[in-house]
Amino acid sequence: MKQNLSRRNFVKGSTLAGLGALLIPQASKTEPTQRKAEVRTAVVIASSNGLRATAKAMEMVQSGSDALDAVVAGVNIIEDDPNDMTVGYGGLPNEDGVVELDASVMHGPTHRCGAVASLRNIKNPSKVARVVMERTDHVLLVGEGALKFARMHGFKEENLLTEEARDMWVKWKENLSTQDDYLPPHSVDVKNIGSKLDEVMQTYGTINCLAKDLKGNISGVTTTSGLSYKIAGRVGDSPIIGAGLYLDNEIGAAGSTGRGEANLTSCNSVMIVEWMGQGKSPEEACLMACKRVVDHTKMKRLLKDDGKPNFNVTFYAINKRGDYGSAAIWSNATFIVHDGVTNSKLDSAYLFKRTEI
Ligand code: GLY
């Protein structure tokens, strides 16, 4: 039955009951109805590392700020924090030990967007993305051009590689292979030096933050240092409008964290917004996006023995009413919601219960 259900039919025709019965191997942990009560005046959501971002953004929204001002100010706190090693200053570097940042912003009322990718030396790529949106006729600037543009607009250059991030990069490099010339600290009795790669796993950290302000306008931002130890110049989904971030001021907004390559090949943020436009709740639409990623994952190297993906992607969404939701391929993902009163960490819905990936 599952195999016979074409994606087009699934998107067009699935009911909520059908979604649960046919397409979600493990039922969602969360109750969509709990997240769809009264129409909310304002709401801010973020990925699990965004507790301070949502607090700041909601404070600004409640003071009358535009949602874009609020979410950018929110994620700037995380970009500035050396202890979050997945974004901005302190983010884990590429394979050469250089921090390269990606970010996108999108503004609902004007349906404008801006983005930067592979930006070096500037700790707030989200701010640069915003200036791309406001002060150019373009949407995306990359690499040297993005840096030149940031310099032109007065952004201060600095070394973004903290000692902790450098230590982790060196450990990764020294454990890449037992055959190369880099050696981690070792004693004379040890063989196979440089084989502890599992202790320095690659990560895909990111922060996505979406808000609806007091005027009912919606905006969002996604910012990241991307895949740790990536090939220099690698760009994930975060700065790609339609993949790592998308919104329609009349419908809602969506964003993502996790394995960018899996989302780049499915462009799920735009799909989530379209599905919400067709009446799906934010959580239902996020689950559909997870299913879409799974359907599109064909390469054996990305699948476990049971055929399920060996990676995770998490989606976040709000709609025009202020309903919110999140879903991941694998369980144990969380997200942050500020509903105007409380700033809480909630469980994301999921497709598969995690025992191990
Ligand atoms: N989702 C962030 C990245 O893959 O770069």
Side-chain angles (χ1 to χ4, degrees):
M1 189 163 201
K2 192 169 152 191
Q3 289 91 324
N4 292 337
L5 196 66
S6 76
R7 190 168 302 109
R8 183 175 296 277
N9 287 338
F10 166 65
V11 170
K12 280 190 160 172
S14 65
T15 61
L16 176 57
L19 187 69
L22 296 175
L23 300 167
I24 306 173
Q26 296 288 328
S28 158
K29 268 174 78 174
T30 49
E31 279 294 327
T33 48
Q34 285 175 4
R35 295 170 179 188
K36 198 175 176 182
E38 74 290 353
V39 176
R40 286 177 194 84
T41 312
V43 68
V44 184
I45 76 167
S47 44
S48 62
N49 52 349
L51 195 68
R52 287 170 296 156
T54 51
K56 175 72 180 173
M58 182 52 81
E59 181 193 313
M60 288 180 63
V61 158
Q62 288 182 325
S63 308
S65 292
D66 179 84
L68 185 59
D69 292 332
V71 293
V72 171
V75 300
N76 287 164
I77 296 170
I78 316 301
E79 288 174 333
D80 290 347
D81 181 357
N83 296 317
D84 188 316
M85 301 180 88
T86 72
V87 296
Y89 177 60
L92 288 170
N94 67 17
E95 64 177 352
D96 303 323
V98 178
V99 180
E100 288 186 332
L101 305 175
D102 305 332
S104 60
V105 298
M106 195 157 179
H107 184 235
T110 55
H111 203 75
R112 287 186 302 171
C113 30
V116 289
S118 294
L119 177 65
R120 301 180 174 194
N121 299 352
I122 309 288
K123 71 178 176 184
N124 297 123
S126 60
K127 283 188 183 171
V128 184
R130 186 178 183 157
V131 182
V132 171
M133 180 185 92
E134 292 179 338
R135 304 284 288 271
T136 77
D137 187 38
H138 305 316
V139 169
L140 173 62
L141 295 181
V142 305
E144 193 56 37
L147 178 57
K148 204 170 129 192
F149 175 79
R151 276 193 207 116
M152 172 184 153
H153 281 280
F155 285 89
K156 193 168 127 252
E157 281 188 77
E158 57 196 294
N159 177 17
L160 304 180
L161 188 68
T162 58
E163 276 304 290
E164 198 185 349
R166 189 188 58 75
D167 273 350
M168 288 181 66
W169 166 65
V170 169
K171 194 170 180 193
W172 171 80
K173 204 166 170 69
E174 290 179 341
N175 282 286
L176 262 180
S177 168
T178 55
Q179 306 300 315
D180 67 18
D181 298 332
Y182 294 104
L183 304 175
H186 60 282
S187 81
V188 288
D189 303 323
V190 176
K191 280 188 164 189
N192 295 326
I193 301 160
S195 58
K196 296 220 163 68
L197 202 56
D198 52 344
E199 290 179 15
V200 280
M201 292 288 286
Q202 288 183 291
T203 58
Y204 295 95
T206 298
I207 180 166
N208 168 247
C209 187
L210 311 169
K212 177 190 159 196
D213 64 28
L214 293 180
K215 290 184 178 155
N217 289 322
I218 292 169
S219 285
V221 58
T222 305
T223 176
T224 188
S225 52
L227 173 65
S228 55
Y229 325 126
K230 59 196 172 188
I231 296 173
R234 177 266 187 190
V235 174
D237 57 336
S238 303
I240 305 303
I241 299 297
L245 178 68
Y246 189 74
L247 60 89
D248 181 321
N249 206 42
E250 302 308 315
I251 300 172
S256 63
T257 60
R259 181 179 156 77
E261 282 73 7
N263 191 29
L264 277 171
T265 48
S266 308
C267 295
N268 287 289
S269 290
V270 71
M271 294 304 298
I272 290 169
V273 172
E274 288 303 305
W275 286 324
M276 290 194 296
Q278 292 166 16
K280 298 295 178 197
S281 73
E283 184 177 284
E284 288 165 0
C286 289
L287 279 166
M288 290 166 78
C290 293
K291 173 73 171 58
R292 182 174 158 89
V293 172
V294 173
D295 286 349
H296 286 162
T297 302
K298 315 276 186 200
M299 306 296 288
K300 287 272 187 309
R301 68 186 173 82
L302 297 172
L303 298 171
K304 302 191 315 153
D305 290 345
D306 63 5
K308 293 171 184 164
N310 59 16
F311 59 84
N312 208 3
V313 181
T314 307
F315 295 102
Y316 314 88
I318 59 174
N319 67 16
K320 190 72 178 165
R321 285 168 44 95
D323 302 327
Y324 53 83
S326 167
I329 296 173
W330 290 97
S331 65
N332 298 351
T334 56
F335 69 114
I336 312 292
V337 176
H338 201 314
D339 62 7
V341 180
T342 51
N343 196 21
S344 326
K345 184 174 271 202
L346 303 178
D347 290 333
S348 302
Y350 58 85
L351 290 185
F352 307 126
K353 186 152 182 66
R354 188 189 289 264
T355 46
E356 57 172 292
I357 287 187

